[in-house]
């Protein structure tokens, strides 16, 4: 399984887009939170991607399934479908990409059903030392959920998800694709207040995603953690007149996965391996959620460094044209993903199109110059359009 382990380590390094920080002091070494199926942490849509990867409390749209599915009952449209494509890490390779399909349908005025399918392809990988084999590793997730308003301002949602990670390097009986099941639990509150003669909105959202089983790839007794995640956000929308409005928001994001233990100075390799087995691999996924709040080697300071934060803003003209900007921050020794984002959107009654672009502030960060594209279709608008065409 050595080669498979190498492939998974390389996948982690590529998807997380990290920079290796060299240091003499072990206490200050690069120490990110490691998980399997890291593609689940990639934002699928261009709207949130243009706002610093922020979306827990922004206004509901078709891509709320990823950020906070509890927003769906507040969606103006009755039903919608979204398709997005993200060419990933183009500064390194040209065949890694994420494709995403999302849809929702509101039932009455108080609830909604929703689902999504995401497919992450790592292109072709040539293994010269294994009979000149070429493999096509990929990861896939399919989920479905239900959301409901419990009052005029508050809603809850739950998602169920099946995860498949096929990054095996051979096809022997010992090697198999990894499979896992998980669930999301989300809350959303949207309220209104008056500022002068303007009715403004304020929302907050919470989404705990990928609560579920650990994942095993076969040939090993140890299973890996999936990227269980806690996202908390807030957003305020201020209309200036009938045609212009601004939105400002922020998200906090923390992985609910234990930190991989570091070898202490003078600790024997055998003792270290036993400690890793006990404190990491033998820990269940649920126990790992609680353990993640207090297991950083450098204590509280490092725990705080595990919190990523995003800031975003959106200007909307006549509910048709949008300009967006944002910033995403991750601590240097936890991944060092620091980047500005910009983007724009154009919405019609039938469809919407959005695009975003990343400007990395960390040197040699392969996330730099990443673009996202997404399309959304309002099924109500399409029905009205076809109805008008039929009457003609």
């Amino acid at each position: 399984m050595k080669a498979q382990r190498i492939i998974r380590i390389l996948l982690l390094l590529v998807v997380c887009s990290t920079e290796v920080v060299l240091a003499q002091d072990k206490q200050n070494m690069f120490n990110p939170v490691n998980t399997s199926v890291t593609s689940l942490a990639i934002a699928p849509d261009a709207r949130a991607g243009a706002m610093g990867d922020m979306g827990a409390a922004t206004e509901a749209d078709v891509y709320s399934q990823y950020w906070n599915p509890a927003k769906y009952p507040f969606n103006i449209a009755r039903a919608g479908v979204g398709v997005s494509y993200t060419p990933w890490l183009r500064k390194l390779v040209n065949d890694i990409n994420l494709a995403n399909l999302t849809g929702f349908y509101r039932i009455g005025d108080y609830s909604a059903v929703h689902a999504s399918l995401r497919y992450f392809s790592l292109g072709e990988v040539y293994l010269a030392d294994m009979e000149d084999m070429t493999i096509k590793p990929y990861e896939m997730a399919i989920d479905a959920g239900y959301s409901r308003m419990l009052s005029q301002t508050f809603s809850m949602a739950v998602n169920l998800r099946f995860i498949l990670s096929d990054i095996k390097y051979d096809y022997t009986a010992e090697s198999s694709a990894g499979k896992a099941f998980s669930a999301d639990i989300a809350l959303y509150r949207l309220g209104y207040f008056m500022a002068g003669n303007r009715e403004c909105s304020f929302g907050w959202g919470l989404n705990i995603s990928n609560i579920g089983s650990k994942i095993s790839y076969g040939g090993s007794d140890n299973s890996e953690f999936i990227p269980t995640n806690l996202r908390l956000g807030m957003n305020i929308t201020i209309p200036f007149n009938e045609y212009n409005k601004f939105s400002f928001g922020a998200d906090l994001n923390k992985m609910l996965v234990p930190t991989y233990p570091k070898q202490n100075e003078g600790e024997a390799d055998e003792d270290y391996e036993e400690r890793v087995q006990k404190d990491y691999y033998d820990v269940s996924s649920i126990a790992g959620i609680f353990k993640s709040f207090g297991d950083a080697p450098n204590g509280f300071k490092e725990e705080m460094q595990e919190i990523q934060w995003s800031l975003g803003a959106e200007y909307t003209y006549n509910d048709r044209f949008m300009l967006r900007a944002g910033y995403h921050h991750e601590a240097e020794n936890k991944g060092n993903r620091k980047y500005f984002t910009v983007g724009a959107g154009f919405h019609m009654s039938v469809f919407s199109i959005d695009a975003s672009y990343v400007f990395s502030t960390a040197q040699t960060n392969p996330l730099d110059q990443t673009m996202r594209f997404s399309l959304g279709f309002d099924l109500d608008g399409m029905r009205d359009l076809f109805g008008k065409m039929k009457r003609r």
Side-chain angles (χ1 to χ4, degrees), residues 4 7-8 11 37 122 135-139 165-170 175-178 217:
Q4 182 176 344
I7 292 174
R8 292 174 60 196
L11 172 61
V37 204
L122 283 103
I135 62 174
K136 296 180 179 181
Y138 71 92
E139 294 181 335
S165 178
D166 190 354
I167 55 175
K168 60 186 179 181
Y169 71 97
D170 61 28
S175 180
S176 62
Y217 292 85

Side-chain angles (χ1 to χ4, degrees), residues 56-350:
T58 52
E59 293 182 356
D61 64 8
V62 68
Y63 292 99
S64 297
Q65 179 78 343
Y66 178 83
W67 299 102
N68 187 344
K71 296 191 295 183
Y72 276 122
F74 292 90
N75 206 310
I76 297 176
R78 175 67 60 181
V81 176
V83 180
S84 65
Y85 175 78
T86 303
W88 201 244
L89 304 179
R90 280 298 186 256
K91 295 188 69 175
L92 296 181
V93 292
N94 60 8
D95 59 355
I96 297 180
N97 57 78
L98 171 69
N100 185 86
L101 175 65
T102 303
F104 76 95
Y105 178 78
R106 285 200 298 116
I107 305 172
D109 296 326
Y110 301 103
S111 61
V113 291
H114 28 85
S116 72
L117 170 67
R118 55 192 288 136
Y119 183 87
F120 183 73
S121 171
L122 283 103
E124 294 186 352
V125 179
Y126 178 68
L127 303 177
D129 58 340
M130 296 184 182
E131 300 179 356
D132 294 330
M133 177 182 287
T134 298
I135 62 174
K136 296 180 179 181
Y138 71 92
E139 294 181 335
M140 182 182 71
I142 182 170
D143 51 51
Y146 175 77
S147 55
R148 183 171 181 83
M149 295 177 64
L150 303 182
S151 71
Q152 293 296 322
T153 61
F154 181 73
S155 62
M156 297 183 64
V158 61
N159 277 336
L160 298 179
R161 179 173 295 106
F162 170 70
I163 303 166
L164 176 65
S165 178
D166 190 354
I167 55 175
K168 60 186 179 181
Y169 71 97
D170 61 28
Y171 295 90
T172 64
E174 294 183 352
S175 180
S176 62
K179 302 178 181 67
F181 293 90
S182 67
D184 306 341
I185 300 175
L187 309 173
Y188 180 62
R189 187 183 187 281
L190 179 63
Y192 297 89
F193 64 95
M194 297 301 296
N197 60 348
R198 305 184 186 98
E199 185 182 56
C200 306
S201 64
F202 176 80
W204 65 263
L206 171 70
N207 185 19
I208 305 176
S209 59
N210 294 314
I211 307 169
S213 61
K214 298 172 73 173
I215 191 169
S216 176
Y217 292 85
S220 174
D221 295 331
N222 294 326
S223 54
E224 304 285 347
F225 290 94
I226 61 176
T228 307
N229 183 78
L230 169 65
R231 185 181 300 275
L232 177 65
M234 57 174 287
N235 188 75
I236 184 171
T237 300
I238 304 173
F240 284 85
N241 52 46
E242 183 181 357
Y243 298 101
N244 300 278
K245 65 179 180 180
F246 287 88
S247 295
F248 307 91
D251 274 12
L252 298 178
N253 192 73
K254 176 173 170 47
M255 299 294 293
L256 302 183
V257 175
T259 304
Y260 194 86
K262 295 169 62 176
Q263 187 169 8
N264 299 323
E265 186 175 355
E267 183 179 18
D269 292 343
E270 183 177 348
D271 294 338
Y272 172 62
E273 292 176 0
E274 291 180 359
R275 183 163 62 88
V276 169
Q277 187 68 41
K278 177 183 177 182
D279 296 344
Y280 190 79
Y281 288 113
D282 291 345
V283 176
S284 68
S285 58
I286 301 301
I289 292 175
F290 296 97
K291 192 173 187 293
S292 68
F293 289 98
D295 66 342
N298 289 333
F300 180 76
K301 179 180 179 180
E302 186 172 344
E303 288 292 347
M304 296 303 294
Q305 291 175 345
E306 292 183 356
I307 299 176
Q308 304 172 37
W309 53 268
S310 301
L311 300 174
E314 180 181 56
Y315 162 72
T316 303
Y317 175 74
N318 199 27
D319 290 327
R320 298 295 186 188
F321 180 70
M322 294 82 177
L323 292 176
R324 307 178 180 110
Y327 177 74
H328 181 89
H329 176 88
E330 183 178 53
E332 184 174 356
N333 69 325
K334 291 297 178 179
N336 204 29
R337 288 177 295 177
K338 302 174 184 177
Y339 48 84
F340 288 98
T341 60
V342 295
F346 183 70
H347 292 196
M348 298 294 290
S349 59
V350 176

Side-chain angles (χ1 to χ4, degrees), residues 326-328 338-343 356-362 365 367-370:
Y327 177 74
H328 181 89
K338 302 174 184 177
Y339 48 84
F340 288 98
T341 60
V342 295
S356 66
Y357 192 76
V358 174
F359 298 92
S360 175
T361 61
N365 189 339
L367 278 176
D368 191 25
Q369 301 177 26
T370 295

